[in-house]
Amino acid sequence: MVVARSIALKAVNTASLWGLNRSRFGGLPKVQTVRALSTIMSPPSKAVVYEHHGPPDSVTRMIELPPVEVQENQVCVKMLAAPINPSDINRIEGVYPVRPQVPAVGGYEGVGEVYSVGSAVKGLSPGDLVIPSPPSSGTWQTYVVKDHDIWHKISKDSPIEYAATVTVNPLTALRMLEDFTTLSTGDSIVQNGATSIVGQCVIQLARYRGIHSISIIRDRAGSDEVKERLKALGADEVFTESQLEVKNVKSLLSNIPEPALGLNCVGGHAASLVLKFLRQGGTMVTYGGMSKKPVTVSTSSFIFKDLSLRGFWLQKWLSADKAKECRDMVDYLLRLAQEGKLKYEMELVPFDKFHSALEKALGKHGSQPKQVIKF
């Protein structure tokens, strides 16, 4: 990358100090001094970066970045919003299986508006609303420059906060409902972690397809209010874990058939409760492990119920040449959001309050809505 014009000494020194390159950061250049007069440049950018892995509230900082060249096949996007996801936190901590090389800009999904395009770019114009699809690292910055094929144009009527968050969580919910067993109208599913965004999306997508859902939540103060919120989204039954300490959990179901599919993002005892509900030949899919406890299965569950245990990782699914399919499903999910058929609680936070939002995302202030940075 080349920086086309004289920039503030502070910005030059920052970039030089970091020894940054464009491909690593999606927006952080090496500094040179000569360019052609016709070169398109991005505006200066503000970004949340980390130079090494560790606790996110300790290793992240906000810095000013100099302009970068927008090459002929690239697009400069002015970011509008980007969420703080658990996987973002894990990448910064260095424990996520796939993560960018440090130093890096944080963030993995988001939504923005096309600011400028390279000379060879077709199909995108300034003012278009776009998301990185599949997701791409480096969205926690005010301007992002990436190759044109990273960006997916979406409807300008898309709600910004849903466009920013549509891929990681709603897409996970959709894929798990479709990929592991054939569900028909009138069937049922069971899940733990129902208050998560994935859990809320599962409830609504299931209801939209005529599928019953049974949700398990942890015992907590205000659990009755939580139950009512989930039922308002479409959950047929919501139980706390302590309510399921009975010999036959299926006796708690009224006219709901035994679930064919179970979804587990907690592990430990909460996963065992999902298994207790499953019908003969049912499948439990694990996509998270919030309790950090292993999934344990009784021998009888395998022998007499012939249960199947599977796993789902969206990153792996996206890496299997699924770009076109991913974009079609994103458009479908955004239409549902626009129609009010898919919704979840979020808190929009100004970018300059990023570290306050990060503290909430880290759970330092109890249970909080999804934190979405607004640029």
Side-chain angles (χ1 to χ4, degrees):
M1 298 303 107
V2 288
V3 172
R5 57 191 169 196
S6 173
I7 58 178
L9 181 60
K10 177 182 176 182
V12 176
N13 288 342
T14 298
S16 299
L17 174 65
W18 279 53
L20 303 169
N21 63 59
R22 178 70 185 82
S23 61
R24 180 178 300 178
F25 259 90
L28 301 185
K30 286 184 178 179
V31 178
Q32 297 180 9
T33 56
V34 180
R35 67 173 175 92
L37 293 175
S38 61
T39 300
I40 300 173
M41 302 301 296
S42 75
S45 186
K46 182 182 292 185
V48 171
V49 301
Y50 54 102
E51 300 175 63
H52 52 83
H53 296 121
D57 52 347
S58 299
V59 301
T60 57
R61 63 191 181 101
M62 192 174 292
I63 67 171
E64 298 284 344
L65 300 173
V68 296
E69 180 186 347
V70 181
Q71 296 187 359
E72 63 176 8
N73 288 311
Q74 292 183 325
V75 176
C76 175
V77 171
K78 181 183 185 297
M79 294 302 295
L80 300 176
I84 303 176
N85 289 319
S87 55
D88 296 322
I89 291 170
N90 293 155
R91 285 184 178 89
I92 296 170
E93 292 170 332
V95 299
Y96 202 72
V98 176
R99 52 190 182 270
Q101 184 179 353
V102 293
V105 173
Y108 188 59
E109 66 174 335
V111 62
E113 183 179 83
V114 174
Y115 181 82
S116 61
V117 300
S119 59
V121 172
K122 299 184 184 303
L124 290 175
S125 303
D128 287 344
L129 200 62
V130 293
I131 63 173
S133 181
S136 181
S137 296
T139 56
W140 291 351
Q141 57 183 316
T142 51
Y143 290 91
V144 178
V145 176
K146 288 182 180 287
D147 289 347
H148 72 97
D149 56 1
I150 294 291
W151 302 105
H152 173 49
K153 181 179 175 179
I154 60 174
S155 169
K156 288 188 177 182
D157 295 327
S158 301
I160 293 300
E161 64 273 29
Y162 287 95
T165 58
V166 68
T167 305
V168 171
N169 291 306
L171 186 55
T172 292
L174 180 60
R175 292 301 347 139
M176 291 192 299
L177 287 174
E178 294 192 348
D179 286 357
F180 295 95
T181 189
T182 301
L183 295 170
S184 303
T185 299
D187 286 342
S188 70
I189 62 100
V190 58
Q191 65 169 340
N192 57 33
T195 58
S196 68
I197 288 187
V198 172
Q200 293 175 60
C201 290
V202 164
I203 290 169
Q204 294 169 89
L205 292 171
R207 179 181 65 174
Y208 187 64
R209 296 168 180 220
I211 298 167
H212 301 288
S213 63
I214 304 157
S215 292
I216 303 168
I217 63 174
R218 60 183 175 84
D219 291 272
R220 70 184 82 184
S223 59
D224 288 340
E225 290 80 0
V226 173
K227 289 181 182 181
E228 290 306 312
R229 287 206 307 271
L230 294 179
K231 286 184 177 180
L233 292 177
D236 292 271
E237 297 285 357
V238 184
F239 300 104
T240 60
E241 292 180 5
S242 62
Q243 286 182 285
L244 301 179
E245 298 302 329
V246 296
K247 186 173 182 180
N248 181 15
V249 296
K250 295 168 189 175
S251 66
L252 300 173
L253 303 180
S254 50
N255 297 318
I256 301 175
E258 292 179 293
L261 177 67
L263 305 176
N264 164 52
C265 67
V266 181
H269 180 60
S272 299
L273 294 176
V274 170
L275 289 169
K276 289 171 70 173
F277 274 104
L278 290 178
R279 74 185 187 192
Q280 180 82 17
T283 298
M284 183 175 79
V285 179
T286 293
Y287 66 98
M290 292 189 294
S291 71
K292 299 183 179 180
K293 295 179 180 179
V295 174
T296 57
V297 189
S298 67
T299 302
S300 61
S301 293
F302 281 126
I303 295 176
F304 303 118
K305 293 184 68 176
D306 191 26
L307 298 183
S308 299
L309 302 184
R310 302 287 302 277
F312 179 78
W313 183 29
L314 183 65
Q315 180 88 33
K316 181 179 180 181
W317 184 87
L318 290 171
S319 66
D321 195 24
K322 299 285 188 179
K324 174 64 167 62
E325 190 174 352
C326 172
R327 293 179 177 189
D328 289 344
M329 288 184 293
V330 161
D331 291 341
Y332 165 72
L333 291 165
L334 284 176
R335 284 195 299 273
L336 293 181
Q338 187 178 342
E339 295 166 3
K341 296 174 181 176
L342 184 67
K343 53 189 176 182
Y344 39 86
E345 190 178 4
M346 292 173 277
E347 180 180 358
L348 292 172
V349 182
F351 192 29
D352 60 2
K353 302 290 185 184
F354 172 82
H355 280 93
S356 296
L358 181 60
E359 286 190 356
K360 291 182 179 181
L362 290 169
K364 294 189 174 185
H365 301 284
S367 179
Q368 297 287 331
K370 169 69 69 178
Q371 298 295 294
V372 179
I373 303 305
K374 186 176 181 179
F375 298 93

